[in-house]
Every structure is written in C-alpha cells, then in structure tokens.
Amino acid sequence: MTSEPADSPPGAARMPWLKHYPSSVGAEIETPRYGLLGEAARDLAARRGAAKAFTTIMPNGMAASLSFVEVDRLSDAFAAYLRDCLRLEAGSRVAIQMPNGLAYPIVAFGVFKAGCVLVNVNPLYTAAEMAHVFEDAKPAAIVAIDMFAEKLAAAMEKAPVRHVVLSQAASLFPAHSRLIIGSVQKYVRKEIPKPRFSAATFAEALAMGARKVNAGAHVSAYVAGLEPTSVACLQYTGGTTGVSKAAMLTHRNFSANVTQFLALVGTEIAESDHVLTALPLYHIYAFTVNMLGFFFRGAHNVLVPSPRPLTNLKAALAKQPISFITGVNTLFNGLLNEAWFRDNPPPTLRLSTAGGMALRQSVAERWAQTTGTPVIEGYGLSEAAPVLTFNPTLRVKAGSIGVPMPWTEIKCIGDDGREVAPGEPGELVARGPQVMAGYWNQPEETEIALRDGWLYTGDIATMDHEGYFTIVDRRKDMILVSGFNVYPNQVEEVISQLPGVKECAVVGVPDECSGEAVKAFIVRNDASLDAETVRAFCKTQLAAYKAPKFVVFRDDLPKSHVGKILRKDLREAG
C-alpha cells in the first residue's frame, strides 16, 4: 500500500476514470476558493447581492426568502451573539436541531464565522439519543426548533446544555406570516410545548448580535488562528463499524468536496438553478451538496421543512421553477407514486441526483419516462464529507455509482489488503482531501476506519475496466431506511429490555417504500407479547424510522457454534 499523503493527487496510480471527466477537469482540483467556510457568505454577498439564496415554502404555500446579502448580514449577527454575548471560545461546539428553514443556514454560517464547531442533531432523535450526543460533544449552546422543547428538556436532564436558543418554523418570515403559522401550531395543532428551561428566542439572539456588530464587533477576528484543517462540523454517524460517533469534518474537507463535485458536474449546476431541498440539511448529503454546493455556485435553495407527506412538496414545485432535485431513492419512488406529480411533473426540471442509498434502476427508468429528465447516482458517506463518486453527466452508467471525484483515489481491496482485479468484489477504500480528520474522542475507531491515509468504508464494491464503481453490498449488517442508518445492535438492545423477550435479532429486508425496513425476530418467554407492543415500546426509545416495521416470533434463532446469532441466515430466510 502506498504512503502518499491524503492531500496528494493520485499520481501514478491507475485511474481509468479520468477519460470520462469533462475536458476541463483533470486528476487534480484547483485550490478551493474558500479556506474557511464563513468566507463564502461574504463572497457570495458581494457577487450575488440581492439574488435569492434560500426560500422556505410551507405546505400551505406561505413562503419567505433570504438574499445572499441577508445571509451574510444575519450570520454575522449570530456569530457576534455566540462570541460577544454568550462569550463562547473558538472551537466551542454549537448544536443545531431543526428541520429545513431559513434559520438553518444563518445558524450554520454564523457558527463557522464565530470559529465554533457545528454539531448536527437529528430532530427525530428521542431524548435518550439526544442526550448521548450532548454527553459526547458537550455543546456549549444549542439552537433547536420550539416544537421539540419537551424532548430537549428531557435530554438536558441527563446532559445539560448551558445556552439554548429556540427557533420557530416560520423564523425570518414576515411578521404577519409568522403570526399566522405560529398561532396555528400553538393553539390549533398544540404543537408548541412550553419550555421547561431558560432560553432565548432566535429573534432575540439575532437582535443582540446585531447590536454588537453595530457597536463595532469585528466578526472577521473571531476566526483568527483558525486554519482550513480546523474542525468545522461534528457529523454523527454509525460510521463503518456501527458504533455511534462523530466524524470530524474540517473546513477543508467541505470546501474541497464542494470544489470537487462542482468541477465534475461543470455547467450542469448554474447560478440560475433553483434546487428543491427536501432532504434535511442536518443530513450530510443535503448539508454539503445543497446548502454549501448550490450556495457556493450562487444558486437558489428552495427549502421544504418536511417531505412527509409528499404533498408537502406540491406548493414548492408549483411556486418555484425547480430545475434540480436532490434526493434518495425513496423520495423519487414516492413522487412517482403520487398522481399529482405524475400528471404534472415540473416543466422546468433539468436534472436530479440520487445518493444516501442505492438508486433502483426501475425507479431511475420511471423517473426519466415521467419527467423527461435523468436522475443520476453518486456515492458517499459522512466520513468523506460526503461525496466520493458520481456519474459524469455525459456518460452515465445505469446501476453504477459513477467514477471518483477529482483528486480522489479509490480502489477495491480483498481480505489480504491487496487491490483486486477489475470486476472482482472488494472493500471500497478511498483517500482525498474530503476524507475526515477522524472520529471525535474515538481513537480506536479512527484507527479502524483510517489506515495509512485511506478511508475503509466497509462497503463491498467492484470497479470495471473504465473506472466506474458499483456497490455490491452495504455494510455487513447496517440497515438503510430512507437514507438513514439503522444499526441492529442498537435496536436489539432496546427490544431486549422489553419484558417477555428472551432473545432477539434485527435485520434489514427490502421495502418498496423505504428501500429497506427493520425486521425483528424474537424468541419470547411470554406468549401474550405481540408485535404492536414491541413496536410501541421501540418508539419510546428510538426514532420512529428505527423501530421494527416487521416483527416475527420464532421458537429459536440460528446460531454459530459459539452461540452467536447468525443474522445472515435470518436475512436469507426473509
């Protein structure tokens, strides 16, 4: 195995994929335009000014937008709030837990400008899962949507967070729209619990920060001493081993990755694009590709707070000239099953990209037939910020995850650590400037995933003679539900706590709606235990997508000679 540094180009390594790059793209990338991510907001404010950067559209059609200038100004204010009002130090962790909305990019760029570290927290997490993140990352502050105040209070009983800022679904909307939306949520739907902790509102935080800026706070000084190799974000993931941990992603990781895929797609992403951002920004795919990538290009992100039900997308597709959609297989498949979408596909749509989970070829074909436009697959993971491969738009291979990003070396290796021949399956390993610095506070896990500068993904793939890669199998036991990782050990631990359970095992099975679904096999010692009780109990301890969709009771479970339950046998049994 070579010992070239991770940031060096592949050099003499065999790179058959290079001939499929656009003529303007070589093995190496240009130096990223931004050393630190906060620089992007200032640059785009100067270049794109009053052009729309982000628009949030509610299911009822109410909408609000922020220009590039407003993103820069408001994120300055939030940075000043963190540093001059809360007195946070550079490197302090700031958690963000909210669905897509105008507040999200303001908080994100504000954290970057403050020299702090962003911690993405899934709003679907239970209080126990949130507490785990808080205990591990030890954020000094959190910005959360007010709808989750009760879960947040329960989590902070176990792992307190000193400073809390509560945003609203309609934060940064005009006053009359904010009043209507807030009143419906609070008094009609009863969705807004009264906080059981001290908190500032997002509006108050921005106002306090703006006063500091107006009084002469030097926002640019907050990042003095930071380098592109400084950590920008902790992205929690099960990683390549299934142990919950945070990938340490640097400013350079993100800036390089955006530069890589923008170079590969070339003019396919333009300033004039309007991208539908239905995937949550706390997910690494939308975080990098949508929020950073399209923003860096000067394009317009159309944010949908939640894509469930899919009718929530109707207003965005009707009100905006959507030209680009990013999504996972389940999103595309779901839209194809909606009559309103099939009958009136967006006439301005030009291209769609799929990641996060395998794109089914039948879905890609139906999408092309319905919309008259392609959906193209790529591949990545949180540890690579996330994009490692993508299909060149001029030469897409069906069923393939495409070719490596520029300045990225990928190969498939066998159990002996040697590269396998084209067409032979092996573990996909990669190196390049987008690969993480390591796992937060997890040196042993880092040593497993990063070896000699290579990221060991745990995915089995093949490479053909032209340098296109295809995933053969996902990580051994991980389950991918609508693009989200579910790890059997975590679900089994919860089920085993339920009275009446003797033994259990969890596997993933194919599912039309979510790609994969969680299936639990249980040996019970109480005959009255039923499937609904199991599912209900799991939902009190786990995010809903992790709870078993299918529950099967058996007299025994297949085991190896040392007593290890054989999940492989259960998967084969269906």
Side-chain angles (χ1 to χ4, degrees), residues 116-237:
C116 296
V117 177
L118 184 71
V119 181
N120 273 315
V121 183
N122 188 336
L124 299 178
Y125 277 173
T126 64
E129 290 167 319
M130 290 161 59
H132 167 75
V133 172
F134 299 162
E135 288 171 342
D136 186 57
K138 294 180 171 55
I142 182 170
V143 186
I145 194 167
D146 54 7
M147 296 170 63
F148 303 127
E150 193 60 36
K151 281 199 302 183
L152 180 57
M156 291 198 301
E157 288 177 358
K158 297 181 179 179
V161 178
R162 184 176 180 184
H163 302 290
V164 179
V165 178
L166 291 180
S167 69
Q168 301 171 309
S171 284
L172 301 173
F173 272 55
H176 69 281
S177 298
R178 194 166 62 250
L179 178 62
I180 293 171
I181 294 170
S183 296
V184 170
Q185 286 187 308
K186 187 172 184 178
Y187 300 111
V188 179
R189 297 180 180 172
K190 310 292 185 183
E191 294 175 336
I192 312 299
K194 185 177 181 179
R196 293 190 283 117
F197 46 78
S198 176
T201 68
F202 186 56
E204 290 169 344
L206 290 180
M208 294 170 66
R211 287 195 290 271
K212 293 292 184 181
V213 173
N214 293 336
H218 298 289
V219 176
S220 59
Y222 298 151
V223 295
L226 261 65
E227 299 291 339
T229 53
S230 299
V231 176
C233 176
L234 296 184
Q235 188 71 26
Y236 276 82
T237 173

Side-chain angles (χ1 to χ4, degrees), residues 133 195 284 442 469:
V133 172
I284 191 65
Q442 294 273 5
F469 287 79

Side-chain angles (χ1 to χ4, degrees), residues 133-446:
V133 172
F134 299 162
E135 288 171 342
D136 186 57
K138 294 180 171 55
I142 182 170
V143 186
I145 194 167
D146 54 7
M147 296 170 63
F148 303 127
E150 193 60 36
K151 281 199 302 183
L152 180 57
M156 291 198 301
E157 288 177 358
K158 297 181 179 179
V161 178
R162 184 176 180 184
H163 302 290
V164 179
V165 178
L166 291 180
S167 69
Q168 301 171 309
S171 284
L172 301 173
F173 272 55
H176 69 281
S177 298
R178 194 166 62 250
L179 178 62
I180 293 171
I181 294 170
S183 296
V184 170
Q185 286 187 308
K186 187 172 184 178
Y187 300 111
V188 179
R189 297 180 180 172
K190 310 292 185 183
E191 294 175 336
I192 312 299
K194 185 177 181 179
R196 293 190 283 117
F197 46 78
S198 176
T201 68
F202 186 56
E204 290 169 344
L206 290 180
M208 294 170 66
R211 287 195 290 271
K212 293 292 184 181
V213 173
N214 293 336
H218 298 289
V219 176
S220 59
Y222 298 151
V223 295
L226 261 65
E227 299 291 339
T229 53
S230 299
V231 176
C233 176
L234 296 184
Q235 188 71 26
Y236 276 82
T237 173
T240 61
T241 62
V243 178
S244 179
K245 51 197 171 290
M248 295 188 292
L249 298 173
T250 68
H251 289 266
R252 176 167 171 75
N253 288 153
F254 286 118
S255 196
N257 200 217
V258 171
T259 302
Q260 289 169 311
F261 76 72
L262 287 181
L264 190 59
V265 300
T267 57
E268 292 293 345
I269 298 179
E271 283 186 354
S272 57
D273 271 316
H274 305 263
V275 59
L276 182 69
T277 303
L279 295 179
L281 292 175
Y282 58 79
H283 191 286
I284 191 65
Y285 177 13
F287 185 85
T288 300
V289 174
N290 292 56
M291 191 190 78
L292 295 180
F294 280 84
F295 185 84
F296 282 19
R297 187 68 100 198
H300 179 208
N301 268 274
V302 180
L303 307 176
V304 177
S306 173
R308 296 189 180 100
L310 287 172
T311 50
N312 285 356
L313 305 182
K314 288 181 71 173
L317 290 168
K319 293 172 73 74
Q320 293 290 333
I322 300 299
S323 56
F324 212 107
I325 298 177
T326 61
V328 295
N329 183 81
T330 49
L331 176 67
F332 298 117
N333 186 53
L335 286 172
L336 290 170
N337 290 323
E338 295 283 330
W340 61 266
F341 183 85
R342 293 195 308 271
D343 294 342
N344 294 286
T348 51
L349 185 64
R350 193 177 73 257
L351 186 65
S352 301
T353 61
M357 61 188 300
L359 174 67
R360 292 190 178 181
Q361 188 56 32
S362 60
V363 172
E365 291 171 355
R366 289 172 57 211
W367 185 265
Q369 293 168 359
T370 300
T371 69
T373 64
V375 55
I376 301 175
E377 188 172 11
Y379 166 82
L381 62 167
S382 295
E383 290 84 350
V387 187
L388 285 173
T389 71
F390 190 67
N391 269 278
T393 55
L394 296 178
R395 195 168 190 279
V396 176
K397 278 195 177 183
S400 167
I401 58 172
V403 301
M405 293 287 103
W407 205 289
T408 301
E409 188 174 2
I410 297 180
K411 58 186 178 181
C412 299
I413 62 170
D415 293 338
D416 59 1
R418 297 172 182 251
E419 186 173 2
V420 300
E424 292 295 319
E427 182 175 1
L428 189 151
V429 299
R431 65 177 177 177
Q434 72 271 54
V435 172
M436 67 173 181
Y439 292 119
W440 174 258
N441 289 335
Q442 294 273 5
E444 296 85 2
E445 292 293 325
T446 298

